[in-house]
Amino acid sequence: MENRNSWYRRLPKVDILIDTEFSDEVEQYGKSMVTVCVNQEISRIREVIPHLHTEAELMQQLQDLHSHIKTALAESQSRHFRRVINATGVILHTNLGRAPLPEEIVTRAMQKLTGYTNLEYNLQSGERGERYAHFEEMICQITGAEAAFAVNNNAAAVLLMMSALGQGREIIVSRGEQIEIGGKFRIPDIMDQSGCHRVEVGTTNKTRLSDYEEALTENTAALLKVHTSNFRIEGFTENVSRQELVTLAQQYQIPVMEDLGSGVLIDLSRYGIKREPTVMDSLAAGVDLVSFSGDKLLGGPQAGIIVGKRKWVDLCKKHPLTRAMRVDKFTVAILEEIFALYQDFSFAISKIPVLSMLTADEKALRKKADRFCAQLAGLPSDYHVRTVVCESAAGGGSLPGEVLPSVGVRIENARMQAGEVQSKLHQAEEPLILRVENQGLLLDMRTLFPEELDRAAKLLKDQLK
Ligand SMILES: *Cc1c(COP(=O)(O)O)cnc(C)c1O
């Protein structure tokens, strides 16, 4: 026992240890973090000393001290908000942050953001500028709109349009378009919130132009169209086209506003995807004010983009809510870069992950699957790995009912507890999110970035023993 007491004295002094052996780490992690980790490790050894039998065991503990502290420091850098590998095949996975951004534009944007920027500074005049000026002209060029700007998200954009145009007056909307987007966002609630008087016309399945016409009064501020982007009604239905609605509204000199939801800029039907109304379709039909999301099929940052006739866009811009919903400089930087890619549609499709994933053809998906199967070669022989056909989804309430035929890799083993493996994969530093189907693991190749294949394979090989 006497011996043991002297063992405690062999433990290094915290301050001296830090000063002599961890000066680089102090530089990298800060002194307080290093002190915490060193203290923790020394306390741990102090607690095990009563259970040690020989001096050699103590020496081993002291030898490992250094590497244990380094590991603890590295782990202290682990963050709650992480990059994850999405193998679910859902491209716009709202829980996984919707649209992943092109690396090169994030890098370019970040370089600006570590310094000061001309966010609201007009370099020509040397006076105050507008944060929207960085992308307005480009959006107008691409979409043909007269004016454009952006707020925090499309939910905000819709509330803003209704408030700016309709406060204290009437907005007419079809009962077939009184939809819920998810996350408690319901069009009728937002209308009430905006302070407009909600005038509902038609029925769930049928609304005619005459329904709108009969509801028009002196106090009508606007007609609202909502793109029913997350569901489909089939059968005995009738709705009014944009064109008809615009013609009616123009007769009475009132504006038409549209919540377009996803807001595609490119007609993707030539890639075998169902034709969605584009922002340009809506503007070309004469809709006065259109709003859409930045992080759905556009493939950019979270934002609500408002485009249309200058008169109405300006009215929205001037509304007091705009200040409360304004986009920050991160969004401004990324939005400008995303729209710059849209100046050439084939460029946009190859560079914007959402669009490349959406349009990936079977050949490319098969190639990825073959590569991935080869990378899984080291798995124990009772694991059955094979390429399968599966179905991906656009997600995020976009392209409802549209399934995208895809290629996946399925891993099976009668002794595997798929659910348990799944939760272990979620605990990784870079978690892997996949589907569990019929007791097997399924990875849809569509949403995996090529450079993630290696990392996903390594995670699986570490977990499947
Ligand atoms: C998704 C969606 C919204 C909400 O957009 P956010 O950018 O998520 O706020 C509003 N309206 C429609 C029709 C949508 O599809």
Side-chain angles (χ1 to χ4, degrees):
M1 226 47 241
E2 215 172 343
N3 230 358
R4 288 254 162 112
N5 285 338
S6 74
W7 289 5
Y8 287 103
R9 287 197 292 276
R10 304 269 281 279
L11 293 172
K13 293 268 173 293
V14 175
D15 288 344
I16 296 170
L17 185 66
I18 292 175
D19 288 345
T20 53
E21 293 189 46
F22 287 97
S23 50
D24 286 353
E25 281 73 14
V26 167
E27 192 76 16
Q28 189 182 348
Y29 301 101
K31 179 136 185 183
S32 47
M33 183 53 79
V34 176
T35 310
V36 167
C37 291
V38 169
N39 268 324
Q40 259 170 12
E41 267 309 298
I42 292 179
S43 311
R44 193 190 58 77
I45 300 181
R46 186 170 285 125
E47 274 163 35
V48 300
I49 284 181
H51 309 289
L52 300 178
H53 302 293
T54 64
E55 200 167 344
E57 285 177 359
L58 175 68
M59 295 313 288
Q60 189 58 52
Q61 291 282 340
L62 292 174
Q63 247 169 40
D64 292 344
L65 180 65
H66 204 265
S67 71
H68 283 172
I69 291 171
K70 284 201 158 171
T71 308
L73 281 168
E75 279 170 5
S76 76
Q77 294 303 94
S78 161
R79 291 292 178 259
H80 197 270
F81 184 59
R82 297 177 191 184
R83 178 172 178 144
V84 307
I85 300 175
N86 175 13
T88 66
V90 180
I91 299 172
L92 295 167
H93 200 304
T94 297
N95 301 147
L96 303 184
R98 285 200 189 152
L101 298 168
E103 188 168 343
E104 62 180 78
I105 75 169
V106 173
T107 308
R108 198 157 341 129
M110 286 306 151
Q111 272 162 3
K112 298 174 200 173
L113 294 170
T114 47
Y116 296 98
T117 59
N118 62 337
L119 182 65
E120 287 190 349
Y121 191 78
N122 183 327
L123 295 169
Q124 262 82 50
S125 66
E127 284 164 13
R128 187 174 194 281
E130 235 188 21
R131 61 181 61 213
Y132 315 109
H134 303 290
F135 50 75
E136 174 166 16
E137 209 176 300
M138 206 144 49
I139 298 183
C140 293
Q141 251 173 31
I142 296 164
T143 62
E146 273 178 25
F149 84 120
V151 290
N152 186 48
N153 56 19
N154 190 36
V158 175
L159 175 61
L160 176 61
M161 291 195 302
M162 289 173 183
S163 307
L165 273 66
Q167 214 151 35
R169 299 180 65 205
E170 292 163 5
I171 295 181
I172 305 177
V173 62
S174 158
R175 289 197 173 87
E177 296 175 4
Q178 286 293 47
I179 60 169
E180 171 171 323
I181 316 297
K184 304 247 158 56
F185 182 87
R186 290 175 163 182
I187 294 292
D189 295 344
I190 299 298
M191 292 184 83
D192 294 347
Q193 192 67 42
S194 76
C196 78
H197 181 214
R198 160 164 57 95
V199 179
E200 296 179 354
V201 298
T203 61
T204 305
N205 57 330
K206 284 204 177 210
T207 302
R208 300 186 183 85
L209 191 63
S210 56
D211 295 322
Y212 288 93
E213 190 157 16
E214 281 158 22
L216 283 164
T217 71
E218 297 268 278
N219 206 20
T220 304
L223 306 184
L224 169 67
K225 186 149 188 72
V226 182
H227 182 47
T228 51
S229 59
N230 57 358
F231 72 103
R232 255 195 326 224
I233 293 191
E234 280 171 26
F236 189 60
T237 66
E238 189 172 333
N239 55 28
V240 181
S241 74
R242 283 182 191 81
Q243 201 75 63
E244 290 173 291
L245 214 53
V246 166
T247 310
L248 175 69
Q250 279 171 353
Q251 254 176 305
Y252 291 86
Q253 297 182 326
I254 50 169
V256 176
M257 59 168 106
E258 178 167 21
D259 170 9
L260 204 48
S262 236
V264 267
L265 295 183
I266 303 177
D267 172 12
L268 295 168
S269 60
R270 93 184 141 99
Y271 297 93
I273 294 157
K274 189 189 65 129
R275 198 180 192 301
E276 274 276 287
T278 62
V279 176
M280 291 75 148
D281 289 338
S282 180
L283 291 169
V287 175
D288 299 271
L289 206 50
V290 184
S291 81
F292 55 98
S293 274
D295 58 354
K296 290 189 184 170
L297 291 176
L298 191 79
Q302 178 187 305
I305 297 150
I306 298 178
V307 297
K309 307 252 165 73
R310 176 157 306 280
K311 174 180 169 189
W312 304 113
V313 170
D314 281 349
L315 196 69
C316 291
K317 251 191 213 173
K318 283 196 211 108
H319 194 276
L321 269 179
T322 299
R323 176 60 181 82
M325 299 168 167
R326 77 177 181 191
V327 283
D328 71 331
K329 57 187 175 179
F330 289 78
T331 309
V332 169
I334 306 282
L335 266 186
E336 181 184 12
E337 297 286 354
I338 285 284
F339 280 105
L341 292 175
Y342 272 101
Q343 287 174 314
D344 181 326
F345 284 173
S346 61
F347 222 57
I349 286 179
S350 68
K351 300 253 181 183
I352 297 175
V354 167
L355 297 180
S356 0
M357 287 173 181
L358 204 56
T359 58
D361 63 9
E362 195 197 322
K363 200 171 137 225
L365 294 167
R366 281 213 174 269
K367 223 171 112 186
K368 242 198 263 184
D370 291 344
R371 224 181 97 195
F372 193 58
C373 287
Q375 284 168 326
L376 288 173
L379 282 181
S381 59
D382 58 344
Y383 281 97
H384 189 49
V385 177
R386 68 196 157 100
T387 298
V388 293
V389 293
C390 61
E391 283 174 352
S392 323
S398 305
L399 307 174
E402 179 87 350
V403 286
L404 308 160
S406 185
V407 181
V409 170
R410 186 176 159 80
I411 305 171
E412 287 171 323
N413 185 339
R415 68 179 166 90
M416 174 175 72
Q417 298 294 319
E420 269 173 39
V421 173
Q422 186 182 35
S423 19
K424 292 225 177 88
L425 292 168
H426 291 176
Q427 304 314 312
E429 182 59 34
E430 183 181 31
L432 172 60
I433 319 289
L434 43 62
R435 304 212 294 251
V436 168
E437 275 183 22
N438 305 323
Q439 287 310 304
L441 308 176
L442 179 70
L443 294 96
D444 188 326
M445 293 297 112
R446 190 183 290 276
T447 46
L448 284 169
F449 289 91
E451 67 274 16
E452 288 175 340
L453 293 178
D454 254 348
R455 307 205 293 268
K458 182 171 183 311
L459 274 172
L460 286 163
K461 283 191 281 189
D462 286 347
Q463 222 39 256
L464 303 175
K465 298 245 162 80

